[in-house]
Amino acid sequence: MTTTLVADIGGTNTRLAVSGPDGRPHRMELFANRTVAGLDDAIGRYLATIPERPEAAVLAMAAPVRGRKIALTNRSQWVIDLDRLEARFGFRWACAVNDFEALAWALPEFGPGDLRPLGDRLPSRDGPVAVLGPGTGLGVAALVPEEDGGWTAVASEAGHIAFGPAEPDEWPVFERLAAQLGRVSAERVISGIGLARLHAALHLDAPALDAPAVDAAAAAGDPAARATVALFVRLLGRFAGDVALAFRSTGGVFVGGGVAQKLGELIDAAAFRTAFEAHPPMERMLAAIPTALVTYPEPGLLGCAAYAAHLARRRPA
């Protein structure tokens, strides 16, 4: 099997690894994007430290992927040119996918130890499955079964869908957010910066905190931070229910993303499920759809490796 460079390129960090015969990522290295001139620089530094010489590249990017030149949504000064990468590093081919499309490709690879059920059972993957996750932004994708037993990944930009209040206590929070932001999308509240915005909108006289500080304060038992996390989990569950309906994800819905992983046990599964199911008149359908938190440490790289294996089965040698 071809040795493939796999990359998970976010707005904040870039993770690089190689995928070989076992279809799993190895030799992972993380680069803070602010410390490198661009992806070419990160790849050059990485390849200088490993013995393998990858023959191909699969890149997951936090951006809509169209054509051979892609600008990152939350780091627009980075423009990834696939043709230039092939020429510079000698790849026989290089391709790009949306970062959550890559995460969707990882879903069939997860074992029970890679997931935490949010509810009474893990997803069966018997039918379409969806994945969403808050990080620097809010990603959404789906994986649809094919007749031959394979899968087709469906990328989306559903994180930019308009989003609003549904409970009485949420109205003043969203009014403050709308006054600050104008149009409020799901990504603007269900993301790292969204967690910080919710905290500021809930606690008008409190010092400003970024997402890691809110997380740390909540873990330490701070009541204000706990209230912020509780609202964040409610909104995350509601949006997950929206995604389940959009894709009719009878095989399950997975929650990934760095922010959700860092919240970990602070995610109240019962509160998440209540918000997930509260979509009248579709409560019964949603009650039958299992949900899980992805705990696998580098799911984007695993998805790139799975997609590389998928392409290898379809490309000529």
Side-chain angles (χ1 to χ4, degrees), residues 27-252:
R27 304 186 191 278
M28 195 280 289
E29 187 170 347
L30 182 146
F31 294 84
N33 290 351
R34 59 180 171 75
T35 67
V36 291
L39 181 62
D40 299 48
D41 184 25
I43 292 175
R45 292 191 196 183
Y46 175 72
L47 293 180
T49 68
I50 64 171
E52 295 91 343
R53 285 296 168 262
E55 302 168 58
V58 175
L59 315 176
M61 302 183 184
V65 175
R66 293 186 296 268
R68 302 284 292 174
K69 293 183 180 181
I70 306 104
L72 294 184
T73 299
N74 291 303
R75 199 171 190 86
S76 57
Q77 67 270 37
W78 276 34
V79 177
I80 287 80
D81 185 330
L82 297 175
D83 294 330
R84 185 180 70 230
L85 292 177
E86 288 176 349
R88 176 172 176 180
F89 298 109
F91 300 138
R92 289 196 293 114
W93 53 267
C95 70
V97 294
N98 171 267
D99 58 343
F100 266 75
E101 183 180 352
L103 185 46
W105 281 107
L107 300 182
E109 308 299 319
F110 292 140
D114 301 322
L115 303 167
R116 173 195 158 199
L118 296 173
D120 58 4
R121 65 197 190 282
L122 289 171
S124 66
R125 287 165 278 207
D126 182 16
V129 294
V131 61
L132 65 134
T136 304
L138 175 61
V140 180
L143 206 60
V144 180
E146 297 177 335
E147 290 184 1
D148 64 0
W151 297 89
T152 296
V154 181
S156 86
E157 291 299 325
H160 299 287
I161 290 173
F163 196 70
E167 302 292 341
D169 63 327
E170 297 169 10
W171 284 93
V173 173
F174 274 84
E175 286 174 357
R176 293 169 194 140
L177 292 170
Q180 173 191 354
L181 301 171
R183 180 181 183 273
V184 179
S185 67
E187 179 173 286
R188 288 184 157 188
V189 290
I190 308 172
S191 61
I193 194 171
L195 182 63
R197 285 173 176 147
L198 285 176
H199 190 73
L202 269 175
H203 311 291
L204 299 180
D205 297 324
L209 297 178
D210 61 11
V214 174
D215 185 9
D222 176 72
R226 286 283 178 117
T228 300
V229 170
L231 177 57
F232 185 87
V233 169
R234 184 199 306 175
L235 299 179
L236 178 63
R238 183 184 307 145
F239 184 69
D242 294 341
V243 170
L245 292 174
F247 289 113
R248 202 173 187 274
S249 307
T250 56

